[in-house]
Amino acid sequence: MPLYTTDALILRTYQLGEADRIVVFLTRDKGKKRGVANGARRLRSRFVGGLEPLTVVRLAYYERESRDLVRLNYADPVQSPMRMRNGVSLGYVEYFAELLDECSPDADPNATLFRLGAAVVDALAAEVPVERLARYFEYWVLRLQGVYPPLLLCQRCGQKSKGGGRLDPGNGGFSCLACADKRGVLLSAEALRFLRDAAGVPPEGLSRIGLSIGAGLQLESAHQQLITSHLEKELKASKILRAMSRES
Amino acid sequence: MSEIEPLVRLTEELTKLPSIGNKSAQRLAFYILKQPRESVEQLCDAIRNVKDRISYCSVCSNITDRDPCFYCTDDSRDPRLMCVVEDPHNVEGIEKTKDFRGVYHVLMGALSPLKGVGPDDLNVRSLLERVGAGEIAEVILATNPNVEGEATAIYLAKLLKPLGVRVSRIAMGVPVGSDLEYADEVTMLKAIEGRHEV
């Protein structure tokens, strides 16, 4: 039974029996894995603090060829969302983890997705505005999945869009304002400019890129439509985030 | 044993209990079989009583055999101090300290976007009503020290502070009797953040 050591991002955990947990984690080099962390729910467990969602860990696990579940040996936290001093962003942690979980198939290595996830955890710890970070993260996850339509050229007239346009995931993609009908989500010039600027910087650079509330809402709505259309379901976490922001 | 239907049924029922596997269930079933009838009836009565007599307190949502519960009706407790916990068994944990003399409010869970648990699934509205009534001076948020518990505490703090009460959070840090050498970075960070003057 070989022991593997790797960097990983914890995506979620499930209770198993009295004291154990099943852990879903995204490794840097072997894709998404599921494993058992024995005794993880005990107060003085060696896993304590290392199995929270979106924690970047140095992790070791044993794997048998015939078994779906690996056995975790240790998970030392390298970066944790619990380090955040701005607690409002904590609500987004599970949303990011769910999006990563849904977009990473089991045992399909995707180092870029891992690096994106780890960079987002660093950005959370650096207190980058979380709404901007969420739009950035959605944009990149969807791009890495190959489902983000090109936003520079109108899919109908082929011309460069200067003043914004409409994104309609069910109807081919992005159209400029002149060509678009009333369907789809309106994306203002400011929303497009944010995506263009944000695409060229690491997540920690988002603090320097402005995004008004209105343009942020447009992007959120467009991304939610793209995610729902791609995954054929709405993420649980996005519904809860909406409920939380409505009540607070 | 497969032919003895009552024993098989009892074993199956016991297997449904947490951390009881088939072997343990069989052992328990045989133990129950060997017990005198009165002992078995006492056990059955105790199990039935739990379902018949225990309900949730209409004030704090803790489990109780009378409504309002013991903590809500005890005159020696300070009604101005409230501790908010996730689950009824957390109340027992805090009571063990024998130091907290306030009242409780049980949320019945924590916000968990991953599990689809939102504010409407928790006892948040009743908490706001209790605090809004004006008697509470301080609310201690004693949700679990994990991402879900922290997110819940911060969400509640945002709702409670405008009501004019002091809102505090339980401290996080290294367990008593442990060794700093083995504490992880996040726990140490939280311990240092929550330090106090001696």
Side-chain angles (χ1 to χ4, degrees), chain B residues 15-78:
Chain B
T15 315
K16 292 175 187 170
L17 298 174
S19 73
I20 302 288
N22 201 39
K23 284 270 182 208
S24 303
Q26 271 184 20
R27 217 167 23 244
L28 288 170
F30 276 107
Y31 175 80
I32 290 168
L33 183 65
K34 283 182 197 163
Q35 292 302 298
R37 171 167 286 275
E38 305 85 69
S39 300
V40 176
E41 275 170 3
Q42 278 172 12
L43 176 65
C44 293
D45 273 353
I47 293 172
R48 203 171 292 116
N49 267 340
V50 163
K51 287 308 285 180
D52 288 349
R53 293 182 48 205
I54 293 187
S55 59
Y56 294 107
C57 173
S58 57
V59 179
C60 69
S61 304
N62 192 11
I63 52 170
T64 179
D65 58 349
R66 61 181 186 197
D67 192 20
C69 72
F70 164 77
Y71 301 115
C72 293
T73 50
D74 183 358
D75 290 337
S76 69
R77 303 188 82 93
D78 182 356

Side-chain angles (χ1 to χ4, degrees), chain A residues 78-97:
Chain A
V78 175
Q79 182 61 285
S80 168
M82 292 290 286
R83 294 179 78 107
M84 276 188 286
R85 287 181 171 84
N86 171 12
V88 177
S89 310
L90 270 174
Y92 280 83
V93 165
E94 293 199 348
Y95 170 66
F96 294 147

Side-chain angles (χ1 to χ4, degrees), chain B residues 76-161:
Chain B
S76 69
R77 303 188 82 93
D78 182 356
R80 292 169 304 156
L81 185 61
M82 176 193 274
C83 182
V84 177
V85 294
E86 289 183 18
D87 292 304
H89 58 253
N90 298 144
V91 172
E92 299 308 313
I94 291 167
E95 280 300 300
K96 272 189 210 162
T97 65
K98 298 187 174 73
D99 203 37
F100 178 75
R101 298 300 299 164
V103 294
Y104 291 96
H105 191 87
V106 184
L107 292 170
M108 288 296 169
L111 291 174
S112 175
L114 262 175
K115 294 177 196 145
V117 180
D120 295 340
D121 303 306
L122 306 176
N123 292 322
V124 174
R125 205 166 297 279
S126 54
L127 170 67
L128 297 179
E129 282 167 9
R130 280 181 82 186
V131 175
E135 198 179 2
I136 309 284
E138 179 177 355
V139 178
I140 303 168
L141 299 171
T143 50
N144 287 330
N146 53 27
V147 167
E148 291 170 2
E150 273 295 284
T152 307
I154 287 152
Y155 173 77
L156 291 178
K158 270 177 82 176
L159 297 177
L160 289 168
K161 277 181 182 167

Side-chain angles (χ1 to χ4, degrees), chain A residues 144-247:
Chain A
L144 292 173
Q145 298 288 299
V147 294
Y148 211 102
L151 295 179
L152 284 176
L153 297 178
C154 170
Q155 50 133 355
R156 297 190 182 178
C157 67
Q159 298 295 309
K160 263 193 172 178
S161 165
K162 286 176 186 163
R166 280 186 179 271
L167 185 71
D168 185 4
N171 202 27
F174 179 74
S175 308
C176 67
L177 287 176
C179 298
D181 48 32
K182 293 283 178 203
R183 285 180 298 187
V185 182
L186 178 72
L187 289 180
S188 62
E190 188 200 342
L192 294 179
R193 193 165 50 246
F194 170 79
L195 289 181
R196 196 178 57 238
D197 294 346
V201 297
E204 288 181 33
L206 289 173
S207 302
R208 299 188 299 273
I209 302 173
L211 181 67
S212 68
I213 292 173
L217 287 173
Q218 290 172 353
L219 285 174
E220 181 185 358
S221 174
H223 290 178
Q224 288 309 317
Q225 284 198 21
L226 283 167
I227 290 167
T228 307
S229 156
H230 175 55
L231 300 174
E232 297 181 342
K233 65 175 182 184
E234 191 180 2
L235 294 178
K236 278 184 198 167
S238 58
K239 286 185 212 164
I240 301 302
L241 279 181
R242 270 203 305 277
M244 283 168 71
S245 58
R246 195 174 54 235
E247 299 214 7

